[in-house]
Amino acid sequence: MAGARELPPDEVLVQRLRDGDEETFALVLDTWSGGMLRLAMSFVSTKASAEEAVQDTWLGVIRGIGDFEGRSSLKTWVYRILVNTAKARGTKDSRTVPFTSLLPEEEAEPTVDAARFRGPDEQYPGHWAVGQQPRHLHIPEDHVLRGEVREVIAAALDELPPRLRTVVTLRDVEGYGSEEVCSLLDISPGNQRVLLHRARAFLRRKLEDYLSGAHGVVAGGNDRGLR
């Protein structure tokens, strides 16, 4: 984001927060709160409740920063406090259910058309059918600059079931690794892979619809590409 200030290394950040540096606290709050709110929404019933979970998390950070031991990054530590806070609030709202318990329901609706895969009587059943393999997506630069692609992706993220949205947001927006996501959400590596695959497949399908639909965009050329 233009004008966004870069955060200092964790050791500097932690010391400034322990010293009560209000400017540093405001910088961290502004930088991380958006992603935290998106994550909190996966565990509670309303945006207002998610906002309260984020506020409670920051209070917890202020109270607990002196006990931060550096076993993980500061951001991971903050997000872990958020997950626990949001889960507790979700339970109070009778909203929270275990992450893995939603997996069968989410698997009930395929994110990729079954017609794109080879049938059981064909060679290599279950593999991509001829001509149906995922393509490298080329997006005209003016569409990117006008923000259309961002709007498509944002709308698609909103359509995702909460668990899929949470995993793909943590992996592809917040930049967490698979082990950190498993730890934060208390899910197995296998479940994390399934949820991430399904979320990415859904987003890809939305982008393909956008590129081949009313916008008349042609794949290829010198435009920007997305995998």
Side-chain angles (χ1 to χ4, degrees):
M1 177 183 299
R5 292 175 56 190
E6 185 174 350
L7 293 174
D10 265 10
E11 57 270 24
V12 176
L13 206 54
V14 170
Q15 189 56 55
R16 289 180 180 175
L17 292 176
R18 285 173 173 168
D19 292 340
D21 186 328
E22 294 184 1
E23 183 178 353
T24 297
F25 180 74
L27 176 61
V28 176
L29 189 147
D30 289 344
T31 304
W32 292 347
S33 288
M36 293 169 64
L37 182 62
R38 288 191 291 272
L39 179 57
M41 287 289 291
S42 300
F43 298 98
V44 299
S45 56
T46 65
K47 184 178 180 181
S49 188
E51 289 172 341
E52 290 179 3
V54 173
Q55 292 173 8
D56 290 346
T57 297
W58 285 120
L59 291 175
V61 170
I62 293 172
R63 288 194 293 264
I65 190 63
D67 298 326
F68 175 67
E69 298 177 344
R71 295 180 180 179
S72 65
S73 71
L74 177 64
K75 186 176 181 181
T76 297
W77 179 72
V78 172
Y79 268 57
R80 189 166 291 124
I81 294 175
L82 172 69
V83 169
N84 292 333
T85 302
K87 280 182 176 178
R89 182 171 288 276
T91 300
K92 185 178 178 181
D93 296 344
S94 301
R95 165 71 159 72
T96 293
V97 291
F99 228 88
T100 52
S101 72
L102 290 186
L103 195 55
E105 179 183 345
E106 288 167 346
E107 285 184 328
E109 182 179 350
T111 53
V112 179
D113 188 348
R116 297 183 64 178
F117 299 99
R118 301 187 186 206
D121 298 329
E122 298 180 81
Q123 188 177 23
Y124 307 117
H127 288 225
W128 292 105
V130 175
Q132 295 297 324
Q133 297 91 338
R135 296 179 303 164
H136 188 82
L137 300 179
H138 296 278
I139 302 174
E141 189 167 0
D142 62 325
H143 285 241
V144 176
L145 294 177
R146 290 203 304 266
E148 292 183 6
V149 173
R150 180 179 298 177
E151 292 176 0
V152 170
I153 294 175
L157 280 171
D158 287 341
E159 290 184 41
L160 280 171
R163 271 56 184 169
L164 301 186
R165 183 172 61 246
T166 298
V167 170
V168 77
T169 297
L170 286 172
R171 287 295 310 274
D172 294 346
V173 179
E174 301 296 331
Y176 280 99
S178 58
E179 291 184 3
E180 289 176 301
V181 172
C182 291
S183 176
L184 278 171
L185 303 178
D186 194 24
I187 58 177
S188 69
N191 281 346
Q192 189 268 163
R193 283 195 298 273
V194 170
L195 291 166
L196 181 62
H197 168 74
R198 295 182 63 78
R200 284 175 173 172
F202 181 84
L203 297 178
R204 165 173 279 278
R205 191 184 72 191
K206 290 294 183 179
L207 275 175
E208 287 179 342
D209 290 346
Y210 165 76
L211 293 174
S212 61
H215 298 80
V217 177
V218 179
N222 296 323
D223 302 314
R224 296 187 177 186
L226 295 179
R227 288 187 181 281

